[in-house]
Amino acid sequence: MVQAMQQKADRYSLPDSDRVQLVSVPRSMEGFTPAWATAVVAGRHPGAVVWAVKVEAVTAGTTTRIRLLLTYAEGKGPPSLFVKIQGRLDHRLVVCAIGGVTMEAKLARVSLPLESPVPYAIGMDRPRLQSVVVLEDLMLRGMSPNDASRPLD
């Protein structure tokens, strides 16, 4: 299945898309394990091994947005990551009905003509209508995403 996902994703070329990892979609917050996070950062930080993952913030809406804090056993990588997964089943059904389950994961692999977060990993679980997109944590750049009252720059 991962190979088929890779072949489809290859149609959307980001200059460094080979550094965007294909990962499994965690079924719960407990799925954000050090092994999972190590797989996420592997493409951009070879040799980095995550020792601990802490779920710092969770915001639920149409998607569930999660800020993960990472501690490393070996190597270096980002101290935190921003994760988006599809929300509750009723939201997933709506997103599926409009064809959006895979769209954000695909978007994370294309080159955009504007400044955007660095993509780390994507994953899709079609039977569960679930996807995951792991991006650079823009708070590390001093930005406040998901706050419509403040501009990003």
Side-chain angles (χ1 to χ4, degrees), residues 15-65:
D16 62 351
S17 65
D18 59 321
R19 296 171 65 182
V20 178
Q21 302 300 296
L22 291 173
V23 295
S24 62
V25 180
R27 291 185 168 271
S28 66
M29 293 300 165
E30 290 75 29
F32 296 110
T33 64
W36 183 87
T38 296
V40 165
V41 300
R44 297 195 181 279
H45 302 280
V49 177
V50 177
W51 178 69
V53 177
K54 178 183 177 191
V55 175
E56 184 192 52
V58 178
T59 307
T62 304
T63 62
T64 299
R65 296 164 300 281

Side-chain angles (χ1 to χ4, degrees), residues 114-149:
L114 53 103
E115 188 173 355
S116 58
V118 174
Y120 275 85
I122 60 172
M124 290 179 253
D125 184 342
R126 290 176 195 243
R128 290 192 309 131
L129 305 177
Q130 188 61 282
S131 65
V132 64
V133 177
V134 185
L135 303 166
E136 165 193 17
D137 181 2
L138 292 177
M139 292 177 71
L140 297 175
R141 290 199 228 169
M143 298 180 184
S144 298
N146 299 320
D147 182 353
S149 66

Side-chain angles (χ1 to χ4, degrees), residues 29-101:
M29 293 300 165
E30 290 75 29
F32 296 110
T33 64
W36 183 87
T38 296
V40 165
V41 300
R44 297 195 181 279
H45 302 280
V49 177
V50 177
W51 178 69
V53 177
K54 178 183 177 191
V55 175
E56 184 192 52
V58 178
T59 307
T62 304
T63 62
T64 299
R65 296 164 300 281
I66 305 160
R67 186 171 191 231
L68 299 178
L69 301 181
L70 308 178
T71 304
Y72 292 86
E74 297 177 29
K76 293 182 180 180
S80 58
L81 291 169
F82 180 75
V83 178
K84 286 183 78 174
I85 59 174
Q86 301 302 320
R88 299 184 337 234
L89 179 58
D90 57 337
H91 290 157
R92 286 184 270 165
L93 291 170
V94 169
V95 171
C96 181
I98 61 171
V101 172

